[in-house]
Amino acid sequence: MRTETPPLIRLEDYRPSDFLIDRVDLDIRLDPHATRVTATLALRPNPAGEPGAALHLDGDDLALVALDLDGEPLAPEAYAASPARLTLHAPPRRPFVLRVATQVDPTANTKLMGLYRTEGVYCTQCEADGFRRITYFLDRPDVMAVYTTRIEAARDEAPVLLGNGNPVEAGPVGADRHYALWHDPHPKPAYLFAIVGGRLGKVETTFTTMEGRTVACAVYVEPGKEARAAYALDAVVRSMAWDETAFGRAYDLDVFSVVAVSAFNMGAMENKGLNIFNDKYVLASPETATDADYAAIEAIIAHEYFHNWSGNRVTCRDWFQLCLKEGLTVFRDQEFSSDMRSRPVHRIAEVRGLRARQFPEDAGPLRHPVRPTAYAEINNFYTATVYDKGAEIVRMLRTLIGAPAFRVGMDRYFADNDGRAATVEDFLAAFAAVTGRDLAQFARWYERPGTPRLTARMTYDAAAARCTLRLSQSLPGAGGPLVIPVALGLVGEAGPLTGAACPALSDGVAVLDRAETELVFEGVTERPVPSLLRDFSAPVRLDLDLTDAERLRLLARDADPFNRWQAAQDVALRLILDPDAARATAFGAALKAFLDGEALRDPAFAALVLALPSEGEAADALPAEVDPDAIHRARWDLRAALGRQLRGRLERIDAALAPEAGAPYSPDAAAAGRRSLRNAALDLIAAGDPEAGAARAAERLAEATNMTDRLAALGTLSLIPGAAREAALDAFAARYADEPLVLDKWFALQATIPEPGTLERIARLQRHPAFAMTNPNRVRALVGSFAFGNPTQFARADGAGFALVGDTVAALDSANPQVAARLLTAFGSWRRLEKSRAAKAAEILNRIKAIPGLSRDVADILGRTLEGG
Ligand code: B3K
Ligand code: ZN
């Protein structure tokens, strides 16, 4: 048997379900190997469906144990059951009750979809199609039901029993078992179903909503780690308060729980009232988590909580509409983090993420529209395009109509669609209704794959004091021009030219909705530098022909912090792609002046200015024939030169930002910003002078009082081969031998060392007792970090890096296809590599393709990666 290309499901084929389910009563008797699930379903024909249709319930790997209809057993010829489907050939044409019993083995569930066990804790993951691995069901998001769930388990195995909604009752069952009954009054699709059972510690607090409801908020973690859940709980409360002020959204149940589990396929899941999290995004202490971990916990707690409205109360009609909940919810969590932290710094972080993940996706064989039109495996569409470009579309909409109208439109969207399974059209209709605008052309953003190019050319007429900006857009493929909001301004020698007037600008934003347009500024008294796409007002590639000196004027003088940062990035990127010592020195001089002026005023921002574009970004800027070694060398040389040139400044920063002895750690943005600049300084010093850098990093390791500083120092040291590095790595592993999440950092750091020896190191680490193929965090830390974060070694000329990742994909596929498929996406840019490396990548991809019985997940990614141009 050879793996076939899996069949496609198409948006244009959508039709309503022939049946609806109004109520679901579940009785779940937890047992490690034989969990019995009895589902009582109140069904009725859907008036919008086909009259007299057969009833097909979805299943996945299910075993039917019992079945009756309105209390009567069904004749064998009345139905057909397979692991993947339960069919009633001639169901009643009136409402009826179907009782279905199934049995599942949570311990044997390595796919981590449906009901499974991790470290003895029972938990579920149902999005996108995991509920059908628990019971036969109409497992599609437009079938929404009210759930009542009775969970029963052995008391010492699972003293804590949690379900969706509110707790109704609980009590003993015989001598050793007990039960809990949960009721969720809000109709929901099956993908939001969840239960948890286990031995768990908790931290809790209450939150009173603006509607006066008292909510019991709790975070459940492995017993003994309660103190590490405090930050997550605090983030829950801040999220609840923020959604009330920013969007007028109040929580709607008496209980809100977050549960951290050890083995989880992704970051977290927004199950109604019972969010289940990868423990990496819950557990934090100064000793075990970095500033970046704290920021990620805050953002993901907020993201899942915000889904309660954008996703749960208003859900998706079908999975093609995924961006309706994901893009919108990413936008909401970005706004939350910006309000909690520094807005410009956060915006830069968002755009770096977009460019690192979404731009390459949009330029490679896995490209797809924000709203895809066809899929073989929906779990492969939880992508940077759906999430992050989806969020950029919402942001552009706000820029176009203005923040006040945006808020009114959001209110309208929630009001009109509450309790419904909605579409992208429903979303846009709310904003069209409140603004009177026609958003049909704007909607193209959801349909057109690829990153548009925005080209800008300026002419200046000194005699007339007139400046003309010609803007044009291009995006291969049919479909007409997009609506691109371009925030912009003109910058003179001393700063923004406030006297320049352009009637086409409204609030500093021009709207480019044709192939090209011309903006004329009058009253321009000196030759300006245009500052375009301020705050990254649209997810496009900007082609703007400026000299280094002009860009450095923006760094020094622009009013827009994003474009100040962008200007330094642009100069650095050109220096990586086209090295030039004299220009590098001029760049260094500009950075000096920048640091002198304001490094200590906004350290977080200064750290971002000092961070050069990544090797991935440099590769992404090249049309083809990418040689990762050449990029690495050029970037490395530039860092070394800057490290030497800025040495004095960097030393001063290092001294000025040294923490006071005994000062307690705080994860807040200001403190994190100081650490990030001081650690960036250390890293650049080491780049310029590895010997001194190694000594200094070893010193820093010894005196570090928190994981942020310790890991940063270890990272600096990890790039300097020698005995000091190995000793430091060993000491770190010994110190954190009982801390899986910290050892993940240790795995990841070693996997990204850009040296040939890394391959051998990874082979050794795969045999380390803390490594386990059954835990996605371990696999992502070691092999994922290598595949996505070590471009020179992953794309080694001898193909050994590709082989390592390919072997892992092959070894993982039958146990956990979702994680295997995600890892395989690392090959997405293979065609753009120089020819011999591309040939090696193709060889490995074809080797995987020849494996019989590949999962649909891997076969789908593989097919598109090999076929797409
Ligand atoms: N909605 C989930 C992701 C589910 C992924 C399924 N393969 C988490 C989130 O985006 O909030
Ligand atoms: Zn989400």
Side-chain angles (χ1 to χ4, degrees), residues 533-620:
L533 221 58
R534 281 178 163 170
D535 206 36
F536 202 62
S537 58
V540 300
R541 292 178 194 263
L542 177 61
D543 174 347
L544 174 63
D545 203 10
L546 297 183
T547 63
D548 281 2
E550 287 171 319
R551 293 187 201 280
L552 294 173
R553 182 198 288 181
L554 293 181
L555 169 64
R557 300 274 175 251
D558 198 357
D560 179 58
F562 181 88
N563 269 3
R564 298 185 62 202
W565 168 81
Q566 183 66 59
Q569 293 287 296
D570 288 340
V571 174
L573 184 62
R574 293 217 318 192
L575 285 168
I576 293 169
L577 299 177
D578 183 13
D580 179 299
R583 282 180 32 235
T585 307
F587 180 47
L591 287 179
K592 261 189 199 173
F594 165 78
L595 291 174
D596 286 344
E598 53 197 308
L600 300 179
R601 234 185 307 145
D602 189 351
F605 179 69
L608 290 170
V609 171
L610 282 185
L612 302 183
S614 70
E615 291 171 32
E617 228 178 280
D620 189 50

Side-chain angles (χ1 to χ4, degrees), residues 841-864:
E843 197 181 305
I844 299 300
L845 290 170
N846 282 305
R847 201 157 90 192
I848 302 173
K849 197 170 175 211
I851 299 173
L854 286 176
S855 67
R856 184 168 60 224
D857 310 59
V858 162
D860 167 44
I861 298 286
L862 201 54
R864 286 189 282 143

